[in-house]
Amino acid sequence: GAGVSQSPSNKVTEKGKDVELRCDPISGHTALYWYRQSLGQGLEFLIYFQGNSAPDKSGLPSDRFSAERTGGSVSTLTIQRTQQEDSAVYLCASSLGLGANNEQFFGPGTRLTVL
Amino acid sequence: AQSVAQPEDQVNVAEGNPLTVKCTYSVSGNPYLFWYVQYPNRGLQFLLKYITGDNLVKGSYGFEAEFNKSQTSFHLKKPSALVSDSALYFCAVGTTSGTYKYIFGTGTRLKVLA
């Protein structure tokens, strides 16, 4: 079956531009997560969704970052006025449900480069 | 607060030798522990998890991990390493208290030498 897909796979943008990153979770997975992986760093939690709601936005680095999920499926992570420090791989994951015992299935990531 | 530590940035092991990748954690409440592997240019893949029950958990590709509550550790092991095991390994913890977010370690790069 289809796994988690993300688009674009690569995005190069200029400082100050806005970008949108898309995540398509596994069908039937109600929980969706966004992470950021910087070079040489671990995974930094950004936000998670249960259905369309995001109970925990504490990981978003600044108010330039926002995310939404519509129809309990596709999610979009938006970064406004991008900065060079936003350059990273943005990973999306989904799981059957919330509950810390649910393993997450990851997409291949979007590599964002801000020039 | 939850935290996960992977004390080794890199582990080198000869092919055929046993391997251990270390992970320690700190959580309030009962821990749910995971190992994920990331191969070059690919997303993270789930290897195994500990929820409850037997302290020795078996997972994919011949890997296993041992939960040690007194030492708050969850080390990843494999009896005989393969060159194809070379990858980046992440330990993660989730808890039963409050938030559903997971905390990942910084990763350990495993290099298996032929």
Side-chain angles (χ1 to χ4, degrees):
Chain A
V4 177
S5 61
Q6 292 186 245
S7 61
S9 55
N10 279 286
K11 177 72 177 178
V12 179
T13 189
E14 293 178 348
K15 178 181 172 181
K17 300 281 190 183
D18 298 352
V19 296
E20 283 190 354
L21 312 180
R22 177 188 167 107
C23 172
D24 209 331
I26 293 173
S27 178
H29 280 194
T30 61
L32 185 148
Y33 305 79
W34 283 99
Y35 296 89
R36 179 166 70 175
Q37 184 177 22
S38 303
L39 188 63
Q41 303 292 317
L43 269 68
E44 176 187 3
F45 166 81
L46 298 179
I47 189 171
Y48 78 82
F49 288 89
Q50 170 62 9
N52 291 336
S53 65
D56 188 345
K57 302 179 182 179
S58 63
L60 294 177
S62 75
D63 59 8
R64 296 185 295 105
F65 287 71
S66 63
E68 65 176 16
R69 190 181 185 195
T70 54
S73 182
V74 172
S75 176
T76 302
L77 177 70
T78 300
I79 309 173
Q80 295 177 309
R81 304 181 304 281
T82 52
Q83 303 295 312
Q84 288 182 331
E85 61 262 28
D86 299 335
S87 296
V89 175
Y90 289 82
L91 295 169
C92 174
S94 69
S95 62
L96 269 175
L98 285 183
N101 60 332
N102 283 297
E103 63 261 34
Q104 298 176 36
F105 295 82
F106 282 81
T110 293
R111 183 175 297 278
L112 174 66
T113 303
V114 182
L115 301 177
Chain B
Q2 293 168 244
S3 66
V4 174
Q6 292 182 244
E8 302 153 319
D9 290 336
Q10 180 159 323
V11 170
N12 295 328
V13 64
E15 187 175 31
N17 282 3
L19 69 87
T20 299
V21 183
K22 296 179 180 177
C23 172
T24 59
Y25 65 90
S26 175
V27 298
S28 55
N30 294 321
Y32 295 152
L33 296 156
F34 302 81
W35 277 101
Y36 289 83
V37 59
Q38 187 176 35
Y39 296 103
N41 301 314
R42 294 173 66 178
L44 275 75
Q45 297 176 32
F46 169 77
L47 271 182
L48 51 79
K49 67 180 178 182
Y50 171 82
I51 304 300
T52 186
D54 287 341
N55 290 342
L56 186 63
V57 178
K58 294 188 183 297
S60 307
Y61 312 122
F63 283 93
E64 58 190 27
E66 186 167 12
F67 171 64
N68 187 315
K69 188 173 183 178
S70 63
Q71 296 185 4
T72 61
S73 67
F74 189 58
H75 300 333
L76 181 70
K77 300 182 180 185
K78 187 173 182 181
S80 178
L82 299 173
V83 172
S84 57
D85 293 329
S86 299
L88 188 56
Y89 290 81
F90 289 95
C91 181
V93 65
T95 77
T96 56
S97 58
T99 183
Y100 291 103
K101 68 184 181 186
Y102 297 73
I103 303 299
F104 282 78
T106 51
T108 297
R109 187 163 300 282
L110 173 67
K111 192 170 184 179
V112 181
L113 307 170

